[in-house]
Amino acid sequence: MRINLPGTREEDCFGWAYGSVDEVGTERAGQEYLQGLLRQGRFDLERLLEEPAGVERGEWAHEHMRQVCIEMGLYVAQAHRECTEGGCPVMRAGEATYYCASHERPQQCSALGYSVHTLDSAVHTLGAATAAVPRRQLQSMARRLYRIFAHAYFHHREFFERQEAASYLYARFVRLVRKYGLLHEAQLIVPDLPTTVEPVA
Ligand SMILES: [Zn+2]
Ligand SMILES: [Zn+2]
């Protein structure tokens, strides 16, 4: 039974995982299965990215992308303490500045605005899709989402490192885009970190 019984210690809550995606048996089976894997071991990136039996590559990429967006929502909410409208009035990553494409016409939003708007539109696209979204669409999504991490890396390094040590979210994202060919190497402007290139022991 997958419930947290009264008196369960906090670290033991949600401790279950599923044997297969089919076993989940809900409409959002892929998502729940992935969340089960994350609860078991969020630092085991190899295992997380391995397609479960019966799940197509494209579906698994879609599922991961959606999960990354969910976690990035929290990431951006926490970045808000140091990434303010006044401090970062435009979206930059190093020298480059980026327009926000989540509007009828691309416009310049603050780094925080860019992050929120980009995430909103990605979550909407991924959630509204009835089948795995095409790779081309995931690619443009990945390009925009990547800038949120790159902004944190180049302009809020301490925040970036603190978050990354606790979550490996950026490492997971990089491995995801490499595995499914969603970004070119030249687009990965944050230098490789041990976690983005090597399997985690
Ligand atoms: Zn900022
Ligand atoms: Zn915007």
Side-chain angles (χ1 to χ4, degrees):
M1 232 176 7
R2 296 192 168 94
I3 52 171
N4 297 309
L5 293 169
T8 306
R9 287 180 309 174
E10 193 184 343
E11 61 267 33
D12 295 334
C13 281
F14 302 101
W16 63 81
Y18 301 96
S20 71
V21 175
D22 283 346
E23 195 193 302
V24 183
T26 63
E27 209 178 314
R28 286 277 160 95
Q31 186 175 10
E32 284 189 39
Y33 181 80
L34 175 55
Q35 290 175 348
L37 288 181
L38 281 160
R39 285 192 292 266
Q40 278 193 317
R42 67 160 35 245
F43 302 111
D44 192 348
L45 305 176
E46 300 290 299
R47 176 160 181 249
L48 292 170
L49 284 166
E50 210 174 287
E51 288 105 17
V55 177
E56 301 279 328
R57 275 177 70 83
E59 288 173 55
W60 200 230
H62 179 118
E63 223 46 87
H64 264 284
M65 195 65 112
R66 172 158 51 199
Q67 182 61 30
V68 163
C69 287
I70 293 171
E71 294 179 44
M72 277 182 98
L74 212 64
Y75 188 91
V76 169
Q78 289 179 356
H80 190 20
R81 284 187 215 141
E82 22 213 308
C83 183
T84 58
E85 302 276 330
C88 302
V90 295
M91 183 43 139
R92 288 188 304 144
E95 294 306 305
T97 62
Y98 302 103
Y99 273 59
C100 182
S102 310
H103 307 272
E104 213 161 306
R105 268 192 216 152
Q107 66 180 56
Q108 214 157 52
C109 291
S110 67
L112 190 70
Y114 179 106
S115 307
V116 172
H117 304 157
T118 299
L119 265 177
D120 277 354
S121 84
V123 165
H124 177 79
T125 305
L126 293 164
T130 49
V133 303
R135 185 152 157 272
R136 200 170 37 79
Q137 211 172 341
L138 285 183
Q139 286 170 321
S140 73
M141 199 179 280
R143 204 172 56 238
R144 292 170 196 166
L145 291 171
Y146 185 81
R147 292 170 190 154
I148 300 174
F149 286 117
H151 176 77
Y153 179 84
F154 288 107
H155 303 283
H156 309 283
R157 183 74 53 90
E158 217 189 296
F159 170 80
F160 176 92
E161 283 174 4
R162 216 165 46 231
Q163 288 290 323
E164 193 51 15
S167 71
Y168 277 21
L169 182 59
Y170 174 72
R172 191 187 336 142
F173 184 71
V174 170
R175 282 158 177 257
L176 174 71
V177 301
R178 282 194 167 135
K179 174 168 182 176
Y180 295 102
L182 302 179
L183 290 179
H184 299 296
E185 287 301 312
Q187 292 172 309
L188 301 171
I189 56 176
V190 172
D192 266 331
L193 312 172
T195 46
T196 59
V197 286
E198 281 163 33
V200 178

